[in-house]
Structure formats: C-alpha cells, structure tokens
C-alpha cells in the first residue's frame, strides 16, 4: 500500500481512494495478492455510478463487500501457514485478530471536509445544522443523531423557561410543583411524538423511510457452520438459537445481576460517606466543612462514570460472544444490557433518597452534583482530551513533513499516515446513551430541581460544536450507516418517559402540602396518587395515539409511490406475457 501511495504522489495514475486497508509491516506479498484477488472476485461489472451515489454510500458498499468476505473451506492464509481460515467465518476479522490487517477506514476528502467544517461549527450561530451536507459526507445515521441532539436541545427551552422562575420564587412550595410536573409529563410525550414525525420527514427526503429490513445480512462477527439461507438460497453461517439462548440466560443475565449488585453496594458506600460528611459539618459548621459536604457526591459521580465505562466494554464483549446473527439483534441486546445497568447505576441513589430516606433537600443536592459533575467529566473525556492528544500526534508528523516539503500541500501518503493514527469513532451508541441519561435527569426529578433543563441545554450547546469538531478533525472518517430513525433508542426514551410519570406522581404525593390533605389516611393518599398516575399514563398513551408517527402528507406520498410501483409491475408483467404469446404464435406458424 505504501508503494502505491508513493506512486500516486510522484505523478503516477490519479485515483480517488475511498477506503484504506492498513496491513502489518513485512506482510507477505503472497498474502497481499491473495487478499486483493478475494476482494476483486466479488466485484460486479457495471457503470461507475458517478453522480448517482454520494461518497458515504460508496464507502458503505465497500465496507459491505469487505464484511461479507467469508471463508468457504478450511484453509490457511497464503504466506501464513499457521493462520487458518474456518468455513463461514469472516476473512477480514480473522486477519485483524491475527495482526495481519491492522485496520481499514474511509479516507477524508480534504476539500469537502473544509466546506463542511465552515458551514457546520466554525461559525457559531443559532440556526439549524447543515443536515444535508452532514448526511452527504457521513451518512444518514450520524445526520439523524445530530438532528436529534439539536431537536432535543430546542425542545428543552420551554422546560427551562418555566423551571427558572420555579427555582427562584417557589423553592419550598411543593404544591406549586404539581403544575410543573404535569407540564413535564405532557412535554416528554409531545417531544417524543413530534420527533418521530420529524424523523419520518427526514427519512422520506433521504429515501430511507421505506427501507426494508426483512433480508438483513448476517453481521460480520456472526459465525457458525456454513449452510443455506431458506429465504435467499445463499450460503451463510448457521448457529443454533438454543446455544445462543443458553449463553444469554446462563452467563449474560447472571453477569448483569452481579454488576447491579456491585452498583448498589457502591451506592451504600456513598451514603456512608454522606453521613460521615454531615456529622463533621454538624460538629463544626464552617466554610471548609460546607465544601466537604459536596465531596462524597463528586466522588460518587466520578465512580459512576468509571463503572459505566467498564460495564460498557464488558457488555459489548458479552453481547458479541452471544453470537447474534443480525446487527439489529446485536444492538437491541447491547442497548438493553447497558441501559439497565446505567439506569440503576445513575438513578438508584436518587430513588433511594427520594422514596426511602424521603429527604428532598439531599435529593436536590445530590441531583445537582451528579448532573454537573457528569457533564464536566463528559466534556473533558469526549472533547478536550481527544483533541489534545490528536493535536500532539499531528504536530509531530507535521514537523517532519515540513522539514522535507516546506509549504507544499501534504501528499496522499502523509494524509493516510495522519488519519491512520486518529481515534476510531465507535458509532452513535455512547452519544445516544448520554442524551438518554440527561433526559432521565430532566424528566424524573424536575419537581425537585427545575434547573436541570437549563443545565442540559448548556451542555448540549457545547456538545453540538464539540461533537462536530471531533467528527471532522479528531476521529477517522466513519463508515456511513443507512437509517430511517433512531432505532431502539426511541423505545428507550419512551420507557423513560413512562417511568417519569410514576416518579413525578410519587414525589408529589410525598410533598408536605399534599400530605396535609390526608393527615391520618396513608392508604387513601397512596390510592389517590396511584389513581392520578394511572390517569396521567392513560392521557400520555392517548396523546401518543392521537399524534400520528408519520405526517399525513408523507403517508399519501408513500401510498402513491406504492401504487405507481404496482402499476409499473403490472405493465411489465403484461409486456412479458405479450412477448411470450407472440413467440408461441410465431413458433406455431413455423411448425404449420
């Protein structure tokens, strides 16, 4: 690869490389020839498609071809007699696991990236992001995430505008928070329903709304004995579902339960630290002991982020080991594992303080500390640290190049070297997870801390620009992923919204003003709160039913498109039948 790139820079044949495959040093020439032959054997003759597919779509097709390279028989890799290929397993993943193939990634287009950067984040402005440009360069999946981030941030503005006066003027008046809680419940439902409609409009404009998933190909990591797909008739790996279920229920579920137990154990240690800090403060209340009151929450917030990070990697390894056939199934199981743990790890202490200790002052204090600390840690870990490390790496390479080339434009081989050292973007999973947790902080405990929405807005305003900068200059260019919606995350947000109904109703029932109406009838209070909660849940689901997921004009366009497709199919079938009839008639005449 290095030699080919050098020929390009020395005036050799011009080409526009879309994807780079980085092989290990001293890779055998026999291996390189074999790999190139395997890749080119899958290519089909046809037009170049110039102008029909954008760059992101072309790179997605290349990734698909690489991912679907599978060994058909047991053999060794040419040039590496000790490295065996097994039937049905991915060739690319095997080469990566053995260190022959270091990595493969799409190459940035410097000119297009410069234009995208200028219109996206270089000019700070209160206007919509250039979604079409983002989609053209990075694909629909990433464009949908950035639009969701922007949509969520603007949707929080009414919550923040109402929350600020509640925080300033009605701090201890809990009965006034009833209206704020009801507005919060309506807001979360309307926000999610409007987002579904908006994402449907975007997907229709991008041509992905009616994308079929019935014949989803096996994921690259899926392995098994080679067999025939009964639907397509093509060869693909086959793995018994009973083995997968045994792995899930005998290994994955106990592992998740063990992690939840450890999370709750750490939570109890945090409460012991809180009690210790309070005892010191009560013995000698001064400025320093007042500062000490925040230390346990800050330490706990840091520990939560660290545990979430460790569990995230463990859950991915475990889900990969379960050997799911489809990428959608893999993502669903991974999201379920991660969300259950993160929900317990981040919110269990708040639920314990609210409903076991029933200490609203401590709940407010803990929520504010956890929210602010987690936001600071995320900004440092996701923005400043990757940018600083990448800038250090780039400076070293640029110094070496400038000594040789001066002010000339960087040659392709140097661009490849620079991008190969960049961090790899792992997808939108962690980005959606962060927004899911922020949505939880806002929707679950808005009665107690009305400023949560304002803090999330400030976080997301910096998130938009820092994420945009990272995608353009810190990470390698990711392969695009076609998408029509945010997938399983929509269900995750809707579940959190339903839990918020129960939580807010319970918090209202615990307020002193509401308890005053039921001085000696706890059962009546509980029944009243449960009844109100059921009414609000019913209202929430009715509201979700009334608001259609797909706008009416989009439904009409889709129905029209389906009708035209059927009509075209009928005409084609009629034309074929007519040709066959003419052929039979001519044959009969010849025989006569």
């Amino acid at each position: 690869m290095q030699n080919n790139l050098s020929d390009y820079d020395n005036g050799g044949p011009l080409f526009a490389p879309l994807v780079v495959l980085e092989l290990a040093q001293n890779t055998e020439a026999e291996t390189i020839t074999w790999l190139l032959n395997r890749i080119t054997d899958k290519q089909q003759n046809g037009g170049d498609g110039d102008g029909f597919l954008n760059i992101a779509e072309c790179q997605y097709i290349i990734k698909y071809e690489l991912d679907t390279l599978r060994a058909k028989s047991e053999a060794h890799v040419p040039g590496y007699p000790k490295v065996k290929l097994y039937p049905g397993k991915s060739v690319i993943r095997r080469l990566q696991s053995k260190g022959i193939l270091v990595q493969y990634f799409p190459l940035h287009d410097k000119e297009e990236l410069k234009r995208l950067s200028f219109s996206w984040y270089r000019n700070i402005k209160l206007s919509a992001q250039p979604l079409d440009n983002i989609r053209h360069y990075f694909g629909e999946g990433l464009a949908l995430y950035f639009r969701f981030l922007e949509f969520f941030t603007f949707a929080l503005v009414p919550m923040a505008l109402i929350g600020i006066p509640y925080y300033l003027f009605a701090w201890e008046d809990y009965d006034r928070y009833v209206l704020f809680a009801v507005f919060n419940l309506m807001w979360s439902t309307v926000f999610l329903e409007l987002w579904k409609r908006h994402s449907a409009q975007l997907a229709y404009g991008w041509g992905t709304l009616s994308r079929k998933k019935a014949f989803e190909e096996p994921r690259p990591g899926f392995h098994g004995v080679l067999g025939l797909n009964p639907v397509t008739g093509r060869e693909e790996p086959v793995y018994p579902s009973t083995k997968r279920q045994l792995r899930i229920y005998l290994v994955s579920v106990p592992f998740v339960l063990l992690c939840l137990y450890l999370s709750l154990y750490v939570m109890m240690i945090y409460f012991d630290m809180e009690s210790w800090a309070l005892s010191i403060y009560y013995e000698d209340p001064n400025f320093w002991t007042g500062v000490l009151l925040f230390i346990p929450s800050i330490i706990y917030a840091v520990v939560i982020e660290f545990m979430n990070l460790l569990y995230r990697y463990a859950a991915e390894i475990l889900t990969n080991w379960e050997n799911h056939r489809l990428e959608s199934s893999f993502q669903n199981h991974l999201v379920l594992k991660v969300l259950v743990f993160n929900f317990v790890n981040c919110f269990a202490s708040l639920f314990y303080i609210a409903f076991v200790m029933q200490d609203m002052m401590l709940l407010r204090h803990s929520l504010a500390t956890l929210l602010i600390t987690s936001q600071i840690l995320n900004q440092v870990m996701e923005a400043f640290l990757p940018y600083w490390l990448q800038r250090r790496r780039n400076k070293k390479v640029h110094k070496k190049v400038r000594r040789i080339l001066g002010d000339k434009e960087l040659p392709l081989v140097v661009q490849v070297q620079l991008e190969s050292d960049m961090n790899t973007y792992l997808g939108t999973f962690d980005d959606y997870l962060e927004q899911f947790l922020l949505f939880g902080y806002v929707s679950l405990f808005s009665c107690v801390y009305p400023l949560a929405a304002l803090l999330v807005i400030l976080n997301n305003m910096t998130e938009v620009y820092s994420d945009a900068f990272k995608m353009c200059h810190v990470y390698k260019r990711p392969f695009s992923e076609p998408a029509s919606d945010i997938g399983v995350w929509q269900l995750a947000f809707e579940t959190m919204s339903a839990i918020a109904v129960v939580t807010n109703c319970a918090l209202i029932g615990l307020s002193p003003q509401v308890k005053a109406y039921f001085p000696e009838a706890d059962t009546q209070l509980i029944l009243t709160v449960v009844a109100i909660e059921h009414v609000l849940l019913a209202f929430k689901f009715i509201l979700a039913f009334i608001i259609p997921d797909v706008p009416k004009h989009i439904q009409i366009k889709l129905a029209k498109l389906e009708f035209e497709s059927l009509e075209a199919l009928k005409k084609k079938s009629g034309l074929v039948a007519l040709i066959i009839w003419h052929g039979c008639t001519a044959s009969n005449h010849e025989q006569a």
Side-chain angles (χ1 to χ4, degrees), residues 23-163:
L23 298 173
Q25 290 184 353
N26 302 321
T27 302
E28 300 291 337
E30 184 181 2
T31 308
I32 298 174
T33 304
W34 167 79
L35 182 58
L36 288 174
N37 289 335
R38 282 300 310 268
I39 294 172
T40 53
D41 282 347
K42 295 199 68 179
Q43 294 177 351
Q44 302 292 327
N45 293 327
D48 59 4
D50 188 22
F52 180 70
L53 299 174
N54 61 42
I55 297 175
E57 290 167 337
C58 292
Q59 290 170 340
Y60 172 76
I61 293 172
I62 294 172
K63 182 179 185 295
Y64 171 82
E65 293 295 320
L66 293 174
D67 287 344
T68 53
L69 281 176
R70 294 184 181 274
K72 294 185 177 181
S73 60
E74 186 172 332
H76 69 272
V77 175
Y80 293 88
K82 293 184 179 179
V83 180
K84 281 190 175 182
L85 297 173
Y86 297 97
K89 289 197 173 183
S90 170
V91 172
I92 294 297
R93 288 177 68 90
R94 184 66 172 167
L95 295 179
Q96 284 184 305
S97 65
K98 293 301 179 181
I100 300 172
L101 176 63
V102 178
Q103 61 180 334
Y104 62 101
F105 57 92
L107 203 60
H108 277 294
D109 185 321
K110 290 185 287 186
E111 291 302 319
E112 191 170 351
L113 185 63
K114 189 182 297 183
R115 290 193 296 268
L116 176 61
S117 301
F118 185 79
S119 63
W120 194 2
Y121 71 87
R122 287 187 184 276
N123 292 328
I124 298 178
K125 54 189 182 303
L126 294 175
S127 60
Q129 300 176 84
L131 278 189
D132 288 334
N133 295 339
I134 298 171
R135 179 241 172 184
H136 180 81
Y137 195 81
F138 290 111
E140 292 84 9
L142 205 60
L144 270 176
Y145 161 70
F146 277 101
R147 182 55 187 144
F148 176 81
L149 176 60
E150 187 178 55
F151 194 89
F152 178 38
T153 305
F154 279 107
L156 284 168
V157 172
M159 287 284 292
L161 293 177
I162 296 175

